[in-house]
Amino acid sequence: MAPFNIAYELLVTRLKNFQLETNRAFNFTASPSQPQYFLYKFPQDVDSVIINVVSDAAYPCSVVSVQDIVCPVYDLDHNVEFNGVYQSMTKQAAITVQRKDFPGEQFFVVFVIKPEDYACGGSVPSSIHGNANRTWNLQRTKSLQVTIVPSIKKSVYVQAMFFSFLGFLSFYLGSVVVAFVHYIRVQRKASAGRLSPEHGSGIMTSSHPISASTPEGSSYGAIDESSSSGGRQMSSPEHRPPAGSDTDSSVEEESDFDTMPEIESDKNIIRTKVFLYLSDLSRKDRRIVSKKYKIYFWNIITIAVFYALPVIQLVITYQTVVNVTGNQDICYYNFLCAHPLGVLSAFNNILSNVGHMMLGFLFLLIVLRRDILHRRAMEMKDIYTLDYGIPKHFGLFYAMGIALMMEGVLSACYHVCPNYSNFQFDTSFMYMIAGLCMLKLYQTRHPDINASAYSAYASFAVVICLAVLGVVFGKNDMWFWVVFSIIHVLASLALSTQIYYMGRFKMDGPDSDLGIFRRAVMVLYTDCIQQCSRPMYMDRMVLLIVGNLVNWSFAIFGLVYRPRDFASYILGIFICNLLLYLAFYIIMKLRSSEKLLPIPMFCIVATAVVWAAALYFFFQTLSSWEETPAESREKNRPCILLGFFDDHDVWHFLSAAALFFSFLVLLTLDDDLDTVRRDKIPVF
């Protein structure tokens, strides 16, 4: 590296401490002109060891290598990577070595000080620019301490696997107990004859009065304000198609109810009323709507298969490259708690994702049980399933269960070799989970006007494309952040308009050219200037104003700070919007004098507690692909659970439980309305 010839002296000395001992720290110094290597022999009862290397100084940059006992020993900067396993190092390094990888049951530990620090994140040395002095090379001396400790035994692997599976099987047991208790209570109520229309019709007191002139036998949703369209409402339960034709019947995906022009004007009359009730937005044929929502389920299975297969192939290739080349700078593990199994370098990070898969499958079973009970009630023409409560459509719930399972699969794939290039694998289905939860929450009281599966998944695809572009261009390119912020703000405004006007604000039709702009100006003038003190839909306006402020704040934050972890930035946007909407929904539910039953209340509390604990462990950073591999290893920490799992594994366990409880909140939140007429359930 020096720009001129250097005079040197050769000194040969006998090493007194050439062989390293187990559980005994050894201190030494090394420099670019004086690399060090030592011998280690496996004790009889040890099958795996961890080589821990620490230094007080981050620089000079160094390389730690484990090599088989062969000659020559590769202990120079230009050849240390030719043999064995190696890591770059600043202050800390850790390499797990297994006896089975060394037939002679011994190996060399080699320490090389690099002549420059660029590989570890340091600056380019001044010598390259011709400003070196004769002592430059001699000043690059580094004090190191190496300790070789036995790794965990095979019994710990078994304990960890039992802990993981039994811990989540307890959720299955709890679900069985709750289902059994619910079954006993229903049987007792049925035998007591307490389930009758009069029993539940007055449970909820609406925040807005219902017209007393509404006939009891009229089609559901007959309210004063909609009397002009009452003749076109759906027929009474007695005249509907038989319930048995729910899913097996070949129905068109869009009913005639949507295509008749007079019904379009009917929709405009109904959905632009000041006070809306669930009966106003559940007027379509239930079979057609249910079939439409089941497209979410089948589409996400297709997406999961086509997304997961290339991901699995790619991470297998990554792991193979790591194993063949020995370059442990490719993957950003927590090397102080990375327990190998077979070809996998960090089996613990993969095992901890089993919770997402097990709880996702359990949620599917719970939804299937509800679906079967609902179908039976429909076959019996139970009045509560026809004109009472929230319309039961389970397609989105099935899609959420599949998404939770796929999050476990793809998170496990990411942790096979976590790095900058494949982080989107870990977040793609998180976007889908957050989006599906928001869609489900909106669908609950707007069953007729929710987004179709095709447009929803197309939107998720756009988000994932933006996430990939952000990973590629988001670090330094200001133009990307400007474009993304504009798209973000415009999307927020467009979505707000659709939500505020219940989908009745159309950008097409005969006035879709210049007339649409004139109409938009008139709408803004009427609702925002003339009625600024009292918008027509006050509750919706408050939610949308707060939501837009939150989203604009995210956009401004992105423009100013340009966070390097763009995938997590987008995920933060999704989660904040979901929490905001959920809080609004619960507040409006309580404002409408509706109740929270014990099970949803328990799920809400459990969700809050478990999410708080999970986020604590999530922010315990153990590695970071935003930095160099050597700098990332400075954040590595030992295991904290069973000597096998680290903080991030605990995050996996707790986040799986938190998502499961979050799904249960959405599934059970409106169970109190099962005995309330739909023309008494407000829409918000």
Side-chain angles (χ1 to χ4, degrees):
M1 298 294 289
F4 44 79
N5 294 334
I6 299 291
Y8 70 91
E9 206 174 74
L10 179 63
L11 180 64
V12 181
T13 57
R14 182 180 181 84
L15 288 178
K16 297 180 181 178
N17 299 293
F18 180 63
Q19 183 171 337
L20 299 175
E21 298 180 10
T22 307
N23 291 321
R24 181 177 176 183
F26 180 69
N27 297 281
F28 61 96
T29 59
S31 68
S33 61
Q34 187 182 9
Q36 300 273 15
Y37 69 92
F38 304 95
L39 173 70
Y40 180 79
K41 295 183 179 180
F42 278 99
Q44 289 298 321
D45 57 340
V46 175
D47 293 324
S48 178
V49 295
I50 300 177
I51 304 169
N52 291 322
V53 187
V54 295
S55 175
D56 293 333
Y59 300 107
C61 178
S62 54
V63 175
V64 182
S65 173
V66 176
Q67 303 177 18
D68 204 354
I69 309 294
V70 293
C71 287
V73 176
Y74 296 100
D75 61 348
L76 299 176
D77 175 48
H78 69 272
N79 66 13
V80 68
E81 301 173 358
F82 290 179
N83 187 22
V85 178
Y86 61 91
Q87 295 179 2
S88 59
M89 171 189 166
T90 50
K91 289 187 175 182
Q92 182 172 258
I95 300 178
T96 299
V97 183
Q98 300 182 80
R99 181 197 292 264
K100 67 181 181 63
D101 296 331
F102 295 93
E105 299 184 355
Q106 56 186 351
F107 55 83
F108 286 139
V109 187
V110 183
F111 302 90
V112 174
I113 307 301
K114 297 183 77 67
E116 44 80 25
D117 297 328
Y118 184 72
C120 292
S123 59
V124 177
S126 59
S127 63
I128 291 180
H129 305 295
N131 298 321
N133 55 55
R134 290 180 178 273
T135 60
W136 170 77
N137 199 34
L138 298 178
Q139 292 172 347
R140 294 183 63 80
T141 301
K142 190 164 188 173
S143 297
L144 299 159
Q145 181 186 82
V146 58
T147 310
I148 300 182
V149 297
S151 185
I152 60 173
K153 297 183 179 296
K154 293 180 180 178
S155 60
V156 180
Y157 282 82
V158 176
Q159 291 175 10
M161 285 189 269
F162 269 106
F163 171 81
S164 302
F165 286 98
L166 292 179
F168 290 107
L169 282 174
S170 64
F171 283 82
Y172 283 74
L173 180 60
S175 301
V176 170
V177 170
V178 171
F180 180 74
V181 171
H182 179 263
Y183 173 78
I184 296 298
R185 292 181 61 185
V186 168
Q187 291 299 318
R188 287 180 179 174
K189 285 185 178 181
S191 61
R194 282 184 284 174
L195 287 176
S196 61
E198 293 78 11
H199 172 68
S201 58
I203 282 183
M204 187 201 70
T205 306
S206 176
S207 56
H208 305 294
I210 308 294
S211 170
S213 62
T214 301
E216 185 65 28
S218 66
S219 57
Y220 63 83
I223 305 174
D224 266 4
E225 295 163 336
S226 62
S227 58
S228 61
S229 59
R232 287 190 292 270
Q233 290 184 355
M234 290 183 64
S235 59
S236 60
E238 289 76 10
H239 295 91
R240 292 184 192 165
S245 59
D246 179 20
T247 56
D248 296 330
S249 59
S250 55
V251 219
E252 296 296 330
E253 289 190 5
E254 294 296 335
S255 66
D256 294 338
F257 195 88
D258 272 339
T259 56
M260 293 167 58
E262 63 270 21
I263 295 304
E264 281 299 317
S265 61
D266 184 59
K267 284 182 182 179
N268 286 326
I269 295 171
I270 292 294
R271 296 182 188 175
T272 53
K273 295 189 304 182
V274 178
F275 301 132
L276 274 173
Y277 295 89
L278 186 59
S279 55
D280 299 321
L281 299 181
S282 56
R283 298 156 56 84
K284 293 182 182 178
D285 190 323
R286 187 191 60 81
R287 300 168 303 148
I288 296 170
V289 175
S290 183
K291 198 173 185 70
K292 183 178 176 182
Y293 284 125
K294 284 190 176 174
I295 300 174
Y296 277 96
F297 172 64
W298 294 112
N299 277 13
I300 200 169
I301 290 179
T302 307
I303 292 168
V305 171
F306 280 92
Y307 194 95
L309 287 178
V311 167
I312 293 171
Q313 289 177 309
L314 182 62
V315 296
I316 289 174
T317 303
Y318 268 116
Q319 184 67 71
T320 303
V321 170
V322 171
N323 294 342
V324 171
T325 65
N327 182 2
Q328 297 204 349
D329 284 354
I330 296 176
C331 306
Y332 286 74
Y333 303 117
N334 174 18
F335 287 92
L336 288 177
C337 187
H339 302 297
L341 182 67
V343 298
L344 300 172
S345 299
F347 175 68
N348 53 302
N349 292 151
I350 297 170
L351 176 63
S352 58
N353 284 287
V354 71
H356 295 88
M357 291 176 264
M358 293 183 66
L359 293 184
F361 185 69
L362 175 58
F363 184 73
L364 287 176
L365 293 179
I366 294 173
V367 173
L368 178 62
R369 174 182 174 272
R370 287 205 164 207
D371 196 359
I372 292 173
L373 291 177
H374 177 65
R375 289 185 190 180
R376 288 178 181 172
M378 291 297 298
E379 290 170 0
M380 297 171 59
K381 293 188 177 180
D382 189 337
I383 190 171
Y384 295 112
T385 62
L386 297 176
D387 280 336
Y388 287 74
I390 302 294
K392 301 292 192 297
H393 304 299
F394 297 98
L396 271 169
F397 284 128
Y398 285 123
M400 289 159 58
I402 295 293
L404 181 55
M405 294 178 69
M406 286 308 302
E407 172 57 31
V409 172
L410 292 176
S411 178
C413 288
Y414 164 70
H415 284 284
V416 169
C417 181
N419 60 52
Y420 169 82
S421 303
N422 60 12
F423 181 61
Q424 66 265 26
F425 302 160
D426 196 23
T427 54
S428 295
F429 270 80
M430 289 185 186
Y431 305 145
M432 287 201 181
I433 288 173
L436 289 172
C437 287
M438 283 189 276
L439 285 171
K440 183 60 202 177
L441 206 53
Y442 188 76
Q443 179 225 3
T444 303
R445 310 234 176 186
H446 311 80
D448 286 358
I449 59 174
N450 209 6
S452 71
Y454 305 112
S455 58
Y457 287 129
S459 302
F460 298 153
V462 170
V463 171
I464 293 173
C465 287
L466 287 173
V468 174
L469 291 174
V471 170
V472 177
F473 300 109
K475 289 189 290 185
N476 302 312
D477 297 315
M478 186 65 186
W479 66 266
F480 171 81
W481 284 99
V482 172
V483 172
F484 175 78
S485 299
I486 292 173
I487 293 173
H488 185 188
V489 171
L490 291 178
S492 300
L493 290 173
L495 189 61
S496 300
T497 304
Q498 290 298 308
I499 292 174
Y500 187 71
Y501 291 104
M502 294 288 184
R504 292 293 90 202
F505 189 86
K506 290 289 185 183
M507 297 289 289
D508 53 8
D511 59 345
S512 59
D513 44 10
L514 295 177
I516 185 64
F517 298 105
R518 199 160 45 246
R519 180 183 170 192
V521 171
M522 287 302 297
V523 168
L524 289 173
Y525 176 76
T526 303
D527 283 6
C528 299
I529 298 177
Q530 283 189 338
Q531 300 183 17
C532 191
S533 59
R534 178 72 188 180
M536 185 178 295
Y537 313 111
M538 175 59 78
D539 295 326
R540 265 180 270 167
M541 178 62 79
V542 170
L543 168 68
L544 294 174
I545 288 175
V546 175
N548 275 277
L549 288 176
V550 169
N551 283 280
W552 295 351
S553 300
F554 268 104
I556 295 170
F557 174 83
L559 274 175
V560 174
Y561 293 100
R562 284 179 285 172
R564 294 185 64 184
D565 189 355
F566 186 76
S568 296
Y569 169 77
I570 292 187
L571 187 61
I573 294 174
F574 269 88
I575 291 176
C576 283
N577 280 277
L578 173 59
L579 292 177
L580 179 66
Y581 190 28
L582 180 60
F584 169 80
Y585 189 94
I586 294 176
I587 290 171
M588 292 301 299
K589 181 177 177 67
L590 297 176
R591 271 191 60 193
S592 302
S593 301
E594 298 175 14
K595 296 188 301 183
L596 288 175
L597 296 180
I599 288 182
M601 179 63 77
F602 168 78
C603 292
I604 290 172
V605 174
T607 299
V609 172
V610 179
W611 268 124
L615 290 174
Y616 169 80
F617 288 100
F618 175 75
F619 289 111
Q620 304 298 311
T621 308
L622 304 178
S623 62
S624 174
W625 45 257
E626 298 177 15
E627 301 171 340
T628 64
E631 291 171 326
S632 171
R633 273 187 278 275
E634 294 180 20
K635 299 178 170 64
N636 289 176
R637 297 184 194 171
C639 306
I640 63 168
L641 180 62
L642 300 177
F644 191 83
F645 298 111
D646 60 18
D647 297 75
H648 198 74
D649 295 322
V650 177
W651 149 254
H652 286 161
F653 289 137
L654 293 178
S655 63
L659 284 169
F660 176 70
F661 283 125
S662 302
F663 288 3
L664 290 183
V665 169
L666 298 181
L667 183 65
T668 63
L669 189 57
D670 289 311
D671 283 354
D672 59 303
L673 303 179
D674 285 348
T675 54
V676 179
R677 286 183 60 89
R678 288 176 187 168
D679 56 9
K680 295 183 180 180
I681 300 177
V683 170
F684 37 79

